Every structure is written in C-alpha cells, then in structure tokens.
Amino acid sequence: MLEALTRRRAPHNRIAGVDLVGILAHLAHALRREVGVLIDRHGSVAHVVVSRRWQQLAEMGTAPGGGSLHYVEAHPRPDGRPDEGDRRAIRLLDLDLVATVGTHRGDPTDLWLLEIAPGGPGGDSVDLVVEGPFAVDELAHQELGALVRQAEAARRRAGPVQTQGTGPERAVLVAMAGADGKGGVGDSLEELASLARTAGAEPVARVTQRRQRPDPGRYIGRGKVEEVLRAVEEHAADVVLVDEELTAVQQRTLEGELGVKVLDRTAVVLDIFARRAQTREGRLQVELAQMSYLLPRLSGRGQWLSRLGGGIGTRGPGETKLEVDRRRIRQRIADLQREIDGIQRHRRRQRQPRHEAALPQVAIVGYTNAGKSTLLNRLTGAGAFVEDRLFATLDPMLRRLQLPNKRSVVLADTVGFIQRLPTELVAAFRATLEEVVAADLLLHVVDVSRADWPEQARVVEEVLDSIGAGDLPVLAALNKSDRLVPAARAALAREHPDAVVVSAATGEGLDRLLDAMGRRLPEPWLRVRLRIPYSEGRLIAQLHSEGRVIDRRYTRTGILVDAELPGPLAVRLRHRFGAAGAPRQPRAREATGGGGEARPPFPRR
C-alpha cells in the first residue's frame, strides 16, 4: 500500500483527495507511525514519508526550486493538530504548506492546515499560521493555488522560511544498563542531558534498555528501536543522543531506521570542545580529536569502491572520493600533530625557568563543573572564565601564588574530566594535560553538593592514572560546602581528615587549604656541584644517604661531585664547598624520584 501511494495523484488545484487521506489514515493506524506524502504542483506524489524522515529528504534535495511541494500526513493519534515537528518540516524542506489529520480506528478525524503567511507589522517577516479544524470533506473545496500564492508572496517580501527552528534542537537520550542490574544509568543519563544542554540541544525524552551486551548492528535491540522511534515522533525530536561510543555501522543503521541524526557521547563532547576552544592551541587540539574520531567512520563506508587494491577487477580510473577523503584526513592529522608537538616543546621551554628556580607547580584537577576556575579566581584573582556549564575551561591558565609559609607556587587550572572521557581527546590534549603530569602536587577539587560525588572522584582518579599522573601526591578540596547543612560539613571533615572542606564561592576554608598545600608539597631539592677536599671524604657517604649523587670525579684538589640534595643541606654545603658551573636545578618531584608524600587514600574506595 505504501508503494501504491507513489502512483496516486491529487485533484487539480486541490491539496489532496479524500480517498488519499483515507489511505494515509489507514496506514498510520496500522503501522502506528506517521505516514505522509509530498505532493508537487502537478498533483503527483513525489515521496512517501514514514516516521518523519525529513532530514534524509532534505539531504536528497527534495525541493531544489524551493516552495514546490506540499505535505499531507496522518498522525496515528486522534488529535491531528500540527506540532513542532511539522513546523520544522516546513522550514527544513521549504514547503508551501502542511495538511495534517488524526486517526481513530483507521478513519481520518479533523483536518488542520499549517500555512506560510506574511508576518510583522509591515509583512517583513514570515509566520506559520495554523487553521482548523476542518472536516476532511472540505479538501474538495480548499484551493491549493491561493495558498501557494500566499506563501510565495510572503517569501518574496521577507525571504525564505528559516531552515533552522527558533528553538534549540530537541534530543532523545538513549542509554543501556547491564542485564545484571548493576549498571545503573541514572547518573550517566543525567550527565548526558547536561552535555546536550551545553551543546545547545534540549532533552525531551529518555529511553533505556537492560541488555547483556550492545547489538553489533544497532547498539540497542530492534524492539527498543521502535520505542525510540515513537519517542522521536511524539516529541518531534531532531536528534538521538546515545550514551556510548557507536561504531560506524551502528550509527548508520540507527539513522536509517530512525530518520534523524544519531550522535554518540563522544561526538557531543567533541562538539562542546569545538564551541569552547578560544586559543589557537585549543582549536588545534579539538580539530585533531575530531579528525581522529572521523577517520575510522569513513573507512567503513564503500570499501568495494576502492580502486587502489591489487588483483583482477580492482584497476580503475584512480582514487575514489572515499580514498581522497581518507588521505586528506590523514594528512591533516599529521599536520596538526606537528603543530601540537611544537606547542608541547614551547610549553617545556616555558616550564624550564620554573624548574631551574625550583618553583613547585600545583595543578587543579577535578570533574567538570566542580568549581576549579572559581577556586583559582578566589586564590589568585586570575579572572578565569566561570560558567555553570560543563567544560567552561579548555585552555590551562597559570598563576603564581604565595603560601602562608612564604613559599611561592604556580597554580595551573586544567580541563575538567568526565566519565568515559573520549580517547581522542586524551590523545589530542596531551600538550595541555602535561601541566598535570608535570605538577608537584595535584589539588583535586570535588563538588560535594552532588549526591554522586564519590563516583565523580573515582572517575578523576581513573583519568589521572590513564595519563600517567597516578603516582603524584594529591590534596583533596571538598568544594561547594556552602550548599550543605552544618552537620553534613562536619561529617565530611570527620570522615576525610586528609581532605579540606572549602567553598570557593564564599571563601570558607581557603586558609586551611593553603596551609595544607604548604605541608603537602615535597621539600624542594637542589642540584649542586661541590668540590669536596679529600680530608672531608666522609661527606660522600652523607650525600649518598640523604640525597642522590649524579656524578663523581677525582681531581688533584678534591672530589668533584654533582648531586641532588634537600634544600637546607644543599645551601649549607654549597656555601662551604660550592664549585663553579653549577648544573640546572631540577623540579622537586624529579629530585625525589617521584617522592614526596604518598597519595592519600581519598578518594579511592
């Protein structure tokens, strides 16, 4: 019956025939889907549309001339009033009008019209006007030409109807839980909703499935695809966001069956990073992550089109478009990698004076939106950008701070972490994350106002381990304590004595935090060159026991020693036995071989 619709015609100068509307209503009731037809100005059915696959039709270019089609559809529900999805369709496909009917037990109910009309005081804009309800029989009396002329006049005066809607994209969120019931998705879905809002979309529905493992072709099961499709139709959604990373096959299959864009969690995070990147370094790193994400999704498409392989039947005119795209992406990845390597070398040169001055570095790390930039501003007056959104900070910011013990340190604000941080981002942002790896102390900021803060702290620990910073000393700052009642704050302090309860917004507890930073930082070591007389040879044993001897040479006047020693001992011996040409000073952590205080048990569980 769907195929037969393509052979039907509408009466001359009419929106549609009553019999055609009856068939659409019958099909919508039987399929429990919206069914519609795109009709050209000659009355022929150009396309049959099931489940609002307008995005695919727009990509095909269904209305190359603009305003050459109108759409007649039947909703599977009794109320056939046009909704936001119909408004988006008229914009997306540049239609003249949309006619909708509801269905009741397979019969059409009232008819509604969504028309284009001049808007504004002087008709200098385009409005979408809803008229109805009408009886279906009135289709025989509705002249199409008058409505088309009205739409054309509105377009001539105010331009075409905007392709994008006035509001944000509407998103359906999809997640999967383990069949054993242990893989809860509530917190993860809530985070995906926050990511969607940060990316400019509005979550309108959530669909979850309990399944042992993802379906290799669709990610979710066939029945759950039907449920997602119903949610897309019911809420007029524009995009489906999946709370995992999809394969190229899964993404293409879901898009084909749902008729809307399907994006995975990684694509959403990359989009946010692309929006937030301000500096050249940030933009380069985001582009590298995007290219690395895109490349494998190109490689799975149209392999049989390749003309570069060996064997009979593979010789042809040259590279296909797919191969050209892959080659260009690989070349761009190589170019970006070279530029980021240059940035990495530049950062090392910037850190070298701090290393030589034995100036320790404290990296502020934590879950995204935990309050890291607010804390940096409160401690140093840095003026870092602060917003109650995920990933407000992408580029590291360094500021100098003097602790109460008169010791100066460098504070580094870094990008926030999330669950399942995309591997492409970790690889691309390695130049930025070096500020974490090169730190002498990690200040782990935790948002304790969230119920799931222990899980967020565990995620940060896992990311630190993955980037090679798992053995660095950590000081935990339990932030946003101003949102807790006094009893809860006191309980936190008792349960986590190694951490400091603070509020970056109000300044509460920051003096205790600074004192703890001064105590937790490793004692600075200095590299010295000493000329020790043979009469003081016993000092060599002390150097080995309290420091690290790097090089030792015997000369006529004494023993020439290069060593790394604790600060007070180094100053005392350099005053007595210092030799010319002292080597560069190391960082405190390098001198101790990654020592200092061991990582406290918080927040491991």
Side-chain angles (χ1 to χ4, degrees), residues 270-292 332-333 335-337 339-340 343 347 393-396 424-425 428-429 431-432:
L270 290 176
D271 182 80
I272 295 171
F273 271 60
R275 290 168 179 254
R276 299 282 181 170
Q278 299 295 326
T279 64
R280 176 175 174 270
E281 174 189 356
R283 289 192 291 268
L284 286 175
Q285 293 176 127
V286 170
E287 185 180 356
L288 176 59
Q290 289 175 322
M291 293 293 102
S292 301
R332 182 59 180 160
I333 288 176
D335 294 341
L336 291 169
Q337 198 67 67
E339 292 191 62
I340 291 176
I343 292 173
R347 283 193 178 279
T393 301
L394 287 189
D395 304 300
E424 294 87 358
L425 279 177
F429 275 71
T432 298

Side-chain angles (χ1 to χ4, degrees), residues 8 93 102 190 210 308 380 600:
R8 301 195 66 87
L93 300 179
E190 189 59 41
R210 192 169 301 284
L308 301 182
T380 67

Side-chain angles (χ1 to χ4, degrees), residues 62 136 140 351 360 394 399 435 457 544:
T62 58
V136 176
R351 284 194 295 266
L394 287 189
R399 289 294 184 270
E435 298 296 340
H544 279 286

Side-chain angles (χ1 to χ4, degrees), residues 357-429:
L359 190 63
Q361 178 168 309
V362 178
I364 305 176
V365 299
Y367 212 80
T368 181
N369 207 30
K372 299 181 295 298
S373 298
T374 304
L375 181 61
L376 179 72
N377 290 341
R378 174 67 69 168
L379 292 177
T380 67
F385 176 73
V386 174
E387 186 178 357
D388 189 17
R389 286 293 182 95
L390 304 185
F391 300 116
T393 301
L394 287 189
D395 304 300
M397 178 178 287
L398 305 179
R399 289 294 184 270
R400 190 161 179 161
L401 172 68
Q402 188 175 50
L403 300 178
N405 62 3
K406 306 303 181 182
R407 188 175 182 184
S408 293
V409 300
V410 173
L411 276 184
D413 189 15
T414 60
V415 64
F417 303 144
I418 61 168
Q419 297 182 55
R420 301 188 296 279
L421 190 67
T423 55
E424 294 87 358
L425 279 177
V426 175
F429 275 71

Side-chain angles (χ1 to χ4, degrees), residues 170-485:
R170 300 164 67 84
V172 173
L173 311 183
V174 178
M176 184 179 296
D180 55 4
K182 297 179 180 179
V185 295
D187 294 337
S188 184
L189 256 184
E190 189 59 41
E191 183 173 273
L192 182 63
S194 298
L195 290 170
R197 295 187 189 98
T198 304
E202 180 60 34
V204 295
R206 304 183 184 192
V207 179
T208 61
Q209 181 176 30
R210 192 169 301 284
R211 187 182 175 96
Q212 187 65 40
R213 60 181 61 87
D215 183 275
R218 296 180 179 83
Y219 176 72
I220 53 178
R222 187 186 301 272
K224 193 59 65 170
V225 172
E226 298 288 323
E227 183 179 339
V228 174
L229 183 56
R230 287 194 294 272
V232 168
E233 293 176 349
E234 179 181 352
H235 298 280
D238 307 287
V239 61
V240 172
L241 304 181
V242 180
D243 195 30
E244 289 286 349
E245 184 167 328
L246 299 175
T247 66
V249 172
Q250 290 170 336
Q251 184 175 5
R252 290 198 304 272
T253 302
L254 285 175
E255 286 183 343
E257 296 188 4
L258 298 175
V260 295
K261 283 189 304 184
V262 176
L263 301 176
D264 58 17
R265 185 186 183 94
T266 300
V268 177
V269 174
L270 290 176
D271 182 80
I272 295 171
F273 271 60
R275 290 168 179 254
R276 299 282 181 170
Q278 299 295 326
T279 64
R280 176 175 174 270
E281 174 189 356
R283 289 192 291 268
L284 286 175
Q285 293 176 127
V286 170
E287 185 180 356
L288 176 59
Q290 289 175 322
M291 293 293 102
S292 301
Y293 173 78
L294 179 61
L295 182 59
R297 283 156 179 77
L298 282 180
S299 61
R301 303 183 180 187
Q303 290 287 348
W304 62 275
L305 294 174
S306 177
R307 308 293 179 144
L308 301 182
I312 299 174
T314 61
R315 298 171 181 85
E319 289 181 305
T320 64
K321 183 179 184 302
L322 171 65
E323 290 159 342
V324 171
D325 289 343
R326 285 206 299 261
R327 179 167 51 82
R328 287 176 176 171
I329 288 178
R330 290 194 185 102
Q331 182 60 48
R332 182 59 180 160
I333 288 176
D335 294 341
L336 291 169
Q337 198 67 67
R338 280 194 295 270
E339 292 191 62
I340 291 176
D341 288 342
I343 292 173
Q344 204 170 10
R345 290 191 296 270
H346 178 65
R347 283 193 178 279
R348 289 171 184 161
R349 288 194 296 269
Q350 286 181 322
R351 284 194 295 266
Q352 191 60 43
R354 302 198 299 268
H355 296 170
E356 293 177 354
L359 190 63
Q361 178 168 309
V362 178
I364 305 176
V365 299
Y367 212 80
T368 181
N369 207 30
K372 299 181 295 298
S373 298
T374 304
L375 181 61
L376 179 72
N377 290 341
R378 174 67 69 168
L379 292 177
T380 67
F385 176 73
V386 174
E387 186 178 357
D388 189 17
R389 286 293 182 95
L390 304 185
F391 300 116
T393 301
L394 287 189
D395 304 300
M397 178 178 287
L398 305 179
R399 289 294 184 270
R400 190 161 179 161
L401 172 68
Q402 188 175 50
L403 300 178
N405 62 3
K406 306 303 181 182
R407 188 175 182 184
S408 293
V409 300
V410 173
L411 276 184
D413 189 15
T414 60
V415 64
F417 303 144
I418 61 168
Q419 297 182 55
R420 301 188 296 279
L421 190 67
T423 55
E424 294 87 358
L425 279 177
V426 175
F429 275 71
R430 74 179 192 277
T432 298
L433 294 175
E434 268 195 352
E435 298 296 340
V436 176
V437 180
D440 300 284
L441 176 67
L442 301 181
L443 183 58
H444 182 180
V445 180
V446 184
D447 179 4
V448 292
S449 67
R450 293 183 56 93
D452 61 338
W453 70 263
E455 176 65 18
Q456 290 189 350
R458 184 190 61 79
V459 170
V460 173
E461 286 274 333
E462 291 177 352
V463 176
L464 291 174
D465 288 338
S466 69
I467 65 176
D471 60 340
L472 298 180
V474 174
L475 173 62
L478 307 184
N479 192 29
K480 302 188 182 180
S481 62
D482 55 300
R483 302 183 182 181
L484 304 178
V485 298

Side-chain angles (χ1 to χ4, degrees), residues 54-75:
W54 302 317
Q55 187 70 36
Q56 296 174 355
L57 292 172
E59 293 172 357
M60 292 167 54
T62 58
S68 60
L69 298 170
H70 66 277
Y71 184 53
V72 182
E73 69 173 343
H75 293 272

Side-chain angles (χ1 to χ4, degrees), residues 1-8 27 48:
M1 292 179 69
L2 288 169
E3 190 174 348
L5 286 175
T6 61
R7 298 190 291 271
R8 301 195 66 87
L27 287 169
V48 178

